[in-house]
C-alpha cells in the first residue's frame, strides 16, 4: 500500500501517518476470510480497526475514467452521478448531490488520480457506504475515522461474546460491588432498545439488521 501511495496509485487522509510519519502502527490481524481483512492498529495512541472487503487494492474493479489520460477534466456532475449510482447499487438508495458530503473532497489535489481510485474502491464496500451515510444521523453507527486506499478506520471497541456472562466485558464499580455492573447492563439494554426503535422508525428507508450475534455489536465506554 505504501509503495502505491508513494507512486500516486492510491491516497487517503491516513496514508501519511501510515507510510511516512509512522503514527499508524499495525498490531494484529483480527479476521481474514476470502479476501476480507480486519486489522487492529494503534493510531496516535488510539486503538483502531482497519477494514477492507479485499486484501489488495488491485482486487477492486477500476474506475473506467482513470484508464485513459483524462479524468481530471471529466465534469464534476458526471463523477457525482457515478458515485450516486454506485451507492444505489450497494444499498438501493437514491442520493442527491447534497448527500455526497462524506465522500466528496470539494476539489482534487495533486494526487487526484489516487484520490478518485481510492474513493471508488471504498464505494464498492457496502459497510463503508453504510457507515459513511449514517455516521451523522445515528449514535448507533461507528464513525469512519479516515482511510488509506481501500482500507478505512473505525474505533476499536469491546465486542460482545457468547462466552461472557453478560455478553459484554464489563468492569464492576469498585465503590459499589455489583451495582456498577447492574447499571451498565441496564444502560446497554436501554441503548439496544433505542437502537431498534431508531432504525425501525426514524429513516425513510427501514433498516434491517442481519447476522445478529454478540460479536457483531460493540459497546462504547458510555455503554451505548
Amino acid at each position: 500500500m505504501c509503495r502505491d501511495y508513494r507512486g500516486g496509485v492510491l491516497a487517503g487522509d491516513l496514508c501519511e501517518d501510515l507510510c511516512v510519519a509512522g503514527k499508524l502502527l499495525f498490531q494484529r490481524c483480527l479476521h481474514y476470510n476470502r479476501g476480507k481483512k480486519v486489522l487492529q492498529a494503534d493510531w496516535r495512541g488510539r486503538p483502531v480497526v482497519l477494514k477492507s472487503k479485499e486484501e489488495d487494492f488491485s482486487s477492486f474493479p477500476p474506475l473506467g475514467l482513470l484508464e485513459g489520460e483524462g479524468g481530471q477534466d471529466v465534469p464534476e456532475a458526471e463523477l457525482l452521478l457515478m458515485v450516486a449510482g454506485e451507492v444505489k447499487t450497494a444499498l438501493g438508495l437514491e442520493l442527491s448531490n447534497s448527500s455526497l458530503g462524506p465522500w466528496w473532497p470539494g476539489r482534487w489535489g495533486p494526487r487526484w488520480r489516487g484520490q478518485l481510485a481510492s474513493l471508488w474502491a471504498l464505494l464498492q464496500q457496502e459497510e463503508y457506504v453504510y457507515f459513511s451515510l449514517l455516521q451523522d444521523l445515528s449514535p448507533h453507527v461507528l464513525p469512519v475515522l479516515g482511510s488509506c486506499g481501500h482500507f478505512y478506520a473505525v474505533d476499536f471497541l469491546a465486542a460482545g461474546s457468547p462466552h461472557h456472562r453478560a455478553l459484554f466485558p464489563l468492569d464492576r464499580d469498585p465503590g459499589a460491588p455489583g451495582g456498577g455492573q447492574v447499571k451498565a447492563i441496564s444502560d446497554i439494554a436501554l441503548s439496544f432498545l433505542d437502537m431498534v426503535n431508531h432504525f425501525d422508525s426514524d429513516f425513510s428507508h427501514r433498516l434491517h439488521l442481519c447476522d445478529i450475534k454478540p460479536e457483531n455489536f460493540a459497546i462504547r465506554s458510555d455503554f451505548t
Side-chain angles (χ1 to χ4, degrees):
M1 277 183 63
C2 289
R3 184 178 63 248
D4 285 343
Y5 170 63
R6 287 188 286 268
V9 176
L10 55 82
D13 49 3
L14 295 181
C15 290
E16 196 73 10
D17 278 357
L18 174 66
C19 302
V20 180
K23 294 180 179 179
L24 180 58
L25 303 172
F26 169 80
Q27 299 292 316
R28 61 188 176 121
C29 181
L30 298 174
H31 181 76
Y32 179 78
N33 182 31
R34 291 179 294 182
K36 178 180 179 181
K37 206 156 194 178
V38 183
L39 311 173
Q40 183 180 345
D42 180 271
W43 179 41
R44 298 173 179 257
R46 178 180 186 173
V48 298
V49 173
L50 297 172
K51 308 185 77 175
S52 175
K53 192 168 73 171
E54 301 288 350
E55 180 176 5
D56 298 318
F57 188 69
S58 58
S59 297
F60 293 93
L63 180 60
L65 291 175
L66 296 177
E67 293 180 349
E69 291 299 317
Q72 198 169 20
D73 296 329
V74 175
E76 184 172 292
E78 185 176 339
L79 292 173
L80 287 167
L81 191 62
M82 294 186 69
V83 171
E86 193 67 20
V87 173
K88 184 176 181 180
T89 300
L91 297 180
L93 297 178
E94 296 280 0
L95 294 183
S96 64
N97 287 356
S98 61
S99 302
L100 300 176
W103 305 304
W104 209 246
R107 62 182 181 84
W108 302 105
R111 293 178 174 268
W112 67 270
R113 292 184 74 92
Q115 284 180 281
L116 198 50
S118 299
L119 171 64
W120 196 245
L122 291 169
L123 288 174
Q124 293 173 61
Q125 303 181 60
E126 293 88 347
E127 186 174 276
Y128 171 81
V129 175
Y130 172 77
F131 283 168
S132 299
L133 277 175
L134 296 181
Q135 61 184 2
D136 294 328
L137 302 176
S138 174
H140 300 291
V141 176
L142 280 171
V144 176
L145 303 176
S147 64
C148 180
H150 56 309
F151 276 89
Y152 59 96
V154 295
D155 272 320
F156 177 81
L157 301 176
S161 168
H163 305 297
H164 290 134
R165 183 181 173 193
L167 293 185
F168 293 96
L170 303 171
D171 295 325
R172 292 179 180 273
D173 183 348
Q181 191 173 53
V182 169
K183 185 178 187 308
I185 292 172
S186 65
D187 286 347
I188 291 171
L190 289 172
S191 182
F192 265 98
L193 290 173
D194 179 71
M195 177 184 66
V196 171
N197 181 63
H198 175 51
F199 283 2
D200 192 54
S201 58
D202 292 349
F203 297 97
S204 58
H205 293 73
R206 179 172 294 175
L207 302 183
H208 296 267
L209 293 176
C210 304
D211 198 14
I212 302 295
K213 57 184 178 182
E215 299 95 320
N216 283 349
F217 294 89
I219 298 297
R220 297 185 180 92
S221 58
D222 63 355
F223 302 119
T224 54

